[in-house]
Amino acid sequence: MALSKKVDEYLVEAQGNIRNALAYAARSERPVTINALGRLLNDIEALTKFDDLLDKLDQEIEHKFKEE
């Protein structure tokens, strides 16, 4: 079950906002803040990639059961 279109849109928007915050923070914030923003960005990316991977696994499992 893929992420819904709306959730995907919000995640893309969040990534853009976090990238902007990260770019600004790199000039004026403490390293811990920059690190936290980078982790958030990484977590969103990992979430979308992991969901894609789960979709592919579901399709493969479904395909295998249809063959049997």
Side-chain angles (χ1 to χ4, degrees):
M1 182 171 131
L3 290 173
S4 69
K5 184 177 179 179
K6 200 65 173 169
V7 169
D8 192 48
E9 288 173 6
Y10 284 134
L11 288 174
V12 169
E13 183 180 348
Q15 283 178 309
N17 288 334
I18 294 170
R19 278 190 183 97
N20 289 337
L22 187 57
Y24 184 80
R27 292 179 239 132
S28 60
E29 300 296 331
R30 293 183 175 124
V32 69
T33 304
I34 296 165
N35 188 340
L37 288 168
R39 282 192 321 244
L40 284 171
L41 194 56
N42 186 52
D43 287 349
I44 292 172
E45 182 73 22
L47 172 66
T48 56
K49 297 232 185 239
F50 189 68
D51 189 66
D52 290 342
L53 176 63
L54 289 176
D55 287 342
K56 289 176 184 175
L57 284 173
D58 286 343
Q59 289 173 358
E60 187 65 27
I61 290 169
E62 189 175 305
H63 179 72
K64 293 285 184 186
F65 280 121
K66 284 182 179 178
E67 287 180 349
E68 292 176 359

